Amino acid sequence: MRRLILIASGFLALGSSASVQELRMPQFPMPELVTDDFGATKQIGFLKFLHELQKSGVQGLDDVEFLDSSYAVLKSDCLPVLAAWLEAACRSVGVELPLARKGPYDGTVFARLLEVGASLAAVREHGKPLAMPIGLMICKRQHDWGDLGGDGQVDAYVLMETDRGLLVYDPPTRQLVELSQFPNTVDILRIQF
Amino acid sequence: MGVLSVLLGFTAAAPVVAEPVERVVPDLAALSRLPVTVLPRPPAWTAGSGKPTCTVDDIVAELRAITPKTPKIIHQASIFVRPDHEWMVAYVRWFRKFGTSLNLHFEDELFDCDKFARCFVAYAGLIAQRGGESGGSLCVGWAVVDNQRSFGGIEAGGGHAVVIADTSQGLFVVEPQTATMTPLGDYPNRDGLAELNL
């Protein structure tokens, strides 16, 4: 009960932020990173990344872009808290993420926000020279994926490297799938990390 | 047996069963334990009010008037809203305060030039959403550039990421690490723009 009240009051505080004109949002949680047997943070270089994309069925590697050379790997267990942060951050500016597709929707905003938030947390917490493996994927929706119909529209999703492999995440619908199982892999237009 | 299975496969009409879709359940309890970050008050965005919109073709035409080497444009949205120039100037100032409040500083790989540029673009989009903008995506993107000449306090050399904003007064470049803003026509590396991500 106490926890529920705390959660509710937290949302009230965030929700009222628009009236005081400040941007108030929960501090970005440091994503849990995969470590090796010796406790060192697992790293993945962009060449291995490329190989994984290829294994997952991505064909046009010319449209894949890496701006860093070494990336950490996320524990997939931390996705629920990352999703909660993204929804709360959006709510703090008056955007209800689950309803975002009802208006003009630009998924790149949310993918970037998640990536930037994770990077800010990493700077705060550990400062290791590893980029966060949260990227942007733009593709044509040629085939149905859950709530998202195969209507040929261009859409953007979050793509993450995790201990489960590469995962595709759609923030408004909260849908998650392994890239290898994503129905529109053939129609990917751009991947950017 | 294998042949039989194949034959059966062709004769029996398989019922169409929708694959179950996995969904992330947000962890609200973990979220409630996080402290709240208070960021400086951003410049107010006024939605609509006759804000000019543009398409990718419009942006390409503007770029062509400035540089013969038009960058590749990567985008999901098709309609973009040009921010008022005054708002953009105020936002650049705000971004500097934002960076100071979060102790934002360059860290190789972890928070380097592209993170600065993406951060600048992400929060600009968020503030426009906060202002209720529904006319289109904000015409502020980040660009990859061949950094042949120094600009905005950043030394020349290698690839670099900056911000390109198409404001009510035309195209501008912003160096987000130092909050330097100048018309794109005056940007010394304008012919080295490789791609623009809107």
Side-chain angles (χ1 to χ4, degrees):
Chain A
M1 184 64 178
R2 186 175 164 78
R3 175 165 288 175
L4 279 177
I5 292 168
L6 282 173
I7 292 170
S9 61
F11 283 153
L12 284 174
L14 293 171
S16 64
S17 60
S19 61
V20 294
Q21 298 290 303
E22 285 169 330
L23 266 185
R24 297 165 69 89
M25 53 182 65
Q27 189 179 70
F28 196 92
M30 178 60 204
E32 285 183 71
L33 305 177
V34 175
T35 53
D36 63 17
D37 294 342
F38 303 101
T41 304
K42 185 178 174 184
Q43 298 184 27
I44 178 168
F46 76 94
L47 286 174
K48 180 140 191 256
F49 229 139
L50 273 174
H51 182 60
E52 275 206 42
L53 287 165
Q54 206 166 25
K55 268 199 319 189
S56 300
V58 177
Q59 293 174 346
L61 292 181
D62 288 347
D63 295 314
V64 178
E65 184 178 33
F66 292 95
L67 288 155
D68 296 292
S69 54
S70 296
Y71 294 81
V73 179
L74 300 180
K75 280 189 184 170
S76 53
D77 293 351
C78 73
L79 298 185
V81 71
L82 300 189
W85 179 86
L86 187 60
E87 291 192 20
C90 291
R91 193 173 298 117
S92 72
V93 298
V95 176
E96 283 297 332
L97 195 46
L99 305 176
R101 285 189 184 276
K102 300 225 179 273
Y105 177 73
D106 185 353
T108 60
V109 172
F110 305 105
R112 280 180 190 140
L113 194 59
L114 197 61
E115 184 241 339
V116 161
S119 300
L120 288 172
V123 167
R124 187 188 70 225
E125 298 281 330
H126 66 67
K128 287 177 189 148
L130 286 174
M132 289 293 112
I134 300 177
L136 167 73
M137 183 172 85
I138 300 176
C139 71
K140 270 193 179 172
R141 286 195 318 229
Q142 297 289 23
H143 302 282
D144 291 353
W145 175 38
D147 299 346
L148 305 170
D151 54 9
Q153 291 289 308
V154 175
D155 208 351
Y157 308 105
V158 179
L159 186 61
M160 295 174 277
E161 172 70 348
T162 73
D163 50 359
R164 282 175 56 185
L166 284 157
L167 297 178
V168 182
Y169 174 54
D170 179 57
T173 61
R174 300 172 178 166
Q175 290 177 183
L176 185 75
V177 70
E178 280 90 2
L179 181 62
S180 57
Q181 304 299 313
F182 181 62
N184 293 305
T185 309
V186 176
D187 302 295
I188 291 171
L189 303 172
R190 191 74 176 175
I191 287 177
Q192 211 167 49
F193 278 97
Chain B
M1 185 66 181
V3 174
L4 185 61
S5 302
V6 171
L7 285 173
L8 283 172
F10 277 120
T11 52
V16 178
V17 180
E19 290 282 322
V21 175
E22 181 180 354
R23 291 178 203 267
V24 177
V25 179
D27 185 346
L28 300 179
L31 187 74
S32 70
R33 292 191 290 271
L34 295 172
V36 171
T37 300
V38 181
L39 299 173
R41 188 173 73 179
W45 176 272
T46 311
S49 63
K51 278 200 167 46
T53 57
C54 58
T55 63
V56 170
D57 288 344
D58 296 330
I59 298 164
V60 169
E62 281 186 83
L63 284 164
R64 279 199 181 129
I66 292 172
T67 171
K69 292 179 184 170
T70 314
K72 182 177 182 178
I73 298 190
I74 294 154
H75 60 101
Q76 184 225 312
S78 50
I79 302 289
F80 298 90
V81 176
R82 288 190 177 106
D84 291 330
H85 185 73
E86 294 74 22
W87 182 86
M88 197 67 219
V89 171
Y91 178 73
V92 171
R93 277 202 298 265
W94 175 83
F95 190 76
R96 182 189 274 266
K97 283 189 208 161
F98 164 87
T100 306
S101 70
L102 293 176
N103 188 27
L104 213 56
H105 54 277
F106 184 95
E107 296 232 13
D108 193 26
E109 300 276 74
L110 189 55
F111 213 91
D112 48 16
C113 58
D114 57 285
K115 306 298 185 310
F116 266 96
R118 289 178 189 181
C119 187
F120 185 99
V121 172
Y123 277 92
L126 199 64
I127 290 166
Q129 296 231 357
R130 183 190 198 213
E133 184 56 65
S134 58
S137 292
L138 202 59
C139 200
V140 177
W142 65 278
V144 177
V145 63
D146 182 10
N147 203 40
Q148 292 214 351
R149 294 177 187 171
S150 66
F151 170 74
I154 304 297
E155 287 180 14
H160 187 48
V162 292
V163 171
I164 303 288
D166 195 0
T167 78
S168 54
Q169 290 186 20
L171 287 165
F172 282 76
V173 64
V174 179
E175 172 49 67
Q177 294 182 55
T178 57
T180 308
M181 179 173 169
T182 201
L184 186 62
D186 296 338
Y187 178 48
N189 298 310
R190 61 188 177 278
D191 295 337
L193 291 169
E195 68 174 44
L196 171 58
N197 296 272
L198 289 169

